[in-house]
Amino acid sequence: MFLRAAATALFSVFSLPALALCAGESYLDQLSAEQHQKLSAAVADIPFAQGLVWDARKDTQNLRIVGTMHIYDPRLGALFASISASVASADLILVEATPDDQADLQQLMARDPSQLFLVDGPTLPELLDGQTWELLLQAAADRSIPSFMIAKMQPWYASLLLAMPPCAMDDVIAGRLGLDHMIMDAAAEAGVPMQSLEAFTTLFAIFQEESLDEQIEFLRMGLMMPDTQQQVFVAMLDRYFAKDVGTLWEMSRLTLADLPELDLETATVLFDETQESILDERNRNWIPVITEATKSHNNVIVAAGAAHLIGENGILNLLQNDGWTLTRAD
């Protein structure tokens, strides 16, 4: 669905291309003065709303927290250059999924296609009405996804793939990746050990908790707003490189009013539930992992999607509440 697409764009499941390919009108340019004022007021209340790189210190222990995006953009080169020395000199890199975990995930999907595909029972052409199936076929074709493949996808997985605008697919297919992968490549080259913040199946489990009917409804809504979707992606990229994560996040809330066939109250509840499951709960679960890592390593880098840094339940605020002193480093 568009709601899940807007939220997931901030989390960790989708990819984007270079700005030159996904350029265009920004969603923020469409907002009224009143909406901009509302947006600014909301961002002002968010802890740690600005900044992508932060240092944390507690006793003799040091952390560097980097807000990444899991997508490619040529502007990432300058950001990576600013942190590459600290990556090479780190004792440990904590990431959402290490290369080993990513390989294990690929093997799991190969062994058990039901993780992503409908292997028993009706497929999407049978589960969807004719109009929705035709829209899905066109959206898949726009992204170079074969019709036989989209037909067998679990609805939640199809929704995530369709969260990428068509302009993203060239970089996805070419394997051009984001800042977290740059960090992991540099760590591997420098011989710095890496550890995952969570089990590699965590996100799959979250998405699979939804019923098939709910997944289908999300998928149906995600087919209705391709133009707005691209405008949101452009705005997200712009705000990320402006190191303005708070605006990037709160902008997603404003998009709820644009959802077709869904009232704002219901959309807000769904958004809050998504934030709790994909961001807040995971952040809280990561803090003990980070704390344990600092017991045996003096210089640890935590690299996670930028949306994980901000807010009351963001990594930075949770660390500060646990006695760490935070200093912005970018």
Side-chain angles (χ1 to χ4, degrees), residues 230-245:
Q230 174 139 341
Q231 292 172 2
V232 170
F233 281 124
V234 170
M236 286 178 175
L237 280 173
D238 290 347
R239 288 300 87 204
Y240 177 84
F241 286 105
K243 303 172 184 178
D244 184 9
V245 186

Side-chain angles (χ1 to χ4, degrees), residues 35-330:
Q35 286 174 309
H36 274 290
Q37 185 176 15
K38 179 180 179 181
L39 180 61
S40 297
V43 172
D45 292 334
I46 299 175
F48 300 102
Q50 310 294 323
L52 295 175
V53 183
W54 290 78
D55 289 330
R57 185 172 180 83
K58 186 178 182 182
D59 300 325
T60 61
Q61 299 161 325
N62 297 286
L63 281 172
R64 170 155 281 193
I65 302 97
V66 181
T68 67
M69 64 178 189
H70 316 308
I71 60 177
Y72 174 73
D73 187 291
R75 291 172 291 180
L76 285 173
L79 179 56
F80 174 70
S82 72
I83 62 172
S84 59
S86 60
V87 171
S89 62
D91 299 326
L92 179 69
I93 309 291
L94 292 174
V95 292
E96 294 182 53
T98 66
D100 286 345
D101 276 350
Q102 293 175 32
D104 288 342
L105 181 59
Q106 292 294 326
Q107 292 177 10
L108 172 63
M109 292 187 293
R111 292 194 310 269
D112 181 10
S114 67
Q115 294 289 327
L116 300 179
F117 295 96
L118 297 165
V119 296
D120 297 311
T123 57
L124 289 181
E126 300 164 284
L127 293 169
L128 301 174
D129 61 85
Q131 180 181 10
T132 302
W133 171 240
E134 290 301 320
L135 288 172
L136 180 58
L137 277 180
Q138 184 58 56
D142 291 342
R143 293 160 175 80
S144 302
I145 302 172
S147 58
F148 73 87
M149 183 175 292
I150 198 73
K152 291 182 174 294
M153 285 182 185
Q154 291 193 24
W156 70 265
Y157 183 47
S159 294
L160 292 181
L161 290 182
L162 298 184
M164 294 183 287
C167 59
M169 296 308 296
D170 285 347
D171 278 333
V172 173
I173 293 170
R176 286 186 283 268
L177 302 171
L179 182 60
D180 50 342
H181 284 83
M182 293 179 180
I183 291 171
M184 287 189 284
D185 288 346
E189 184 175 349
V192 179
M194 289 173 273
Q195 176 184 327
S196 293
L197 287 160
E198 62 190 7
F200 65 84
T201 55
T202 299
L203 275 174
F204 274 23
I206 291 171
F207 289 122
Q208 290 168 346
E209 285 177 355
E210 295 166 343
S211 70
L212 188 61
D213 287 342
E214 289 175 323
Q215 293 179 38
I216 290 172
E217 187 59 28
F218 296 159
L219 177 59
R220 183 177 290 111
M221 287 188 289
L223 294 168
M224 296 181 180
M225 302 182 65
D227 294 338
T228 301
Q229 183 193 53
Q230 174 139 341
Q231 292 172 2
V232 170
F233 281 124
V234 170
M236 286 178 175
L237 280 173
D238 290 347
R239 288 300 87 204
Y240 177 84
F241 286 105
K243 303 172 184 178
D244 184 9
V245 186
T247 295
L248 185 155
W249 177 252
E250 286 301 319
M251 176 193 67
S252 296
R253 288 190 178 277
L254 288 182
T255 65
L256 301 180
D258 297 328
L259 288 171
E261 300 182 11
L262 188 64
D263 65 272
L264 183 57
E265 182 178 355
T266 301
T268 300
V269 170
L270 290 172
F271 189 94
D272 290 341
E273 290 176 353
T274 300
Q275 176 180 336
E276 171 60 26
S277 62
I278 299 183
L279 279 183
D280 295 350
E281 183 176 0
R282 293 171 69 210
N283 291 344
R284 292 190 293 268
N285 291 337
W286 291 352
I287 296 302
V289 178
I290 296 170
T291 300
E292 186 65 26
T294 62
K295 292 180 180 178
S296 53
H297 301 85
N298 290 327
N299 292 288
V300 177
I301 289 181
V302 179
H308 287 282
L309 271 59
I310 68 171
E312 295 288 340
N313 289 295
I315 293 173
L316 298 175
N317 201 54
L318 293 174
L319 286 171
Q320 182 171 263
N321 291 343
D322 196 36
W324 291 81
T325 299
L326 277 295
T327 305
R328 185 173 171 179
D330 65 351

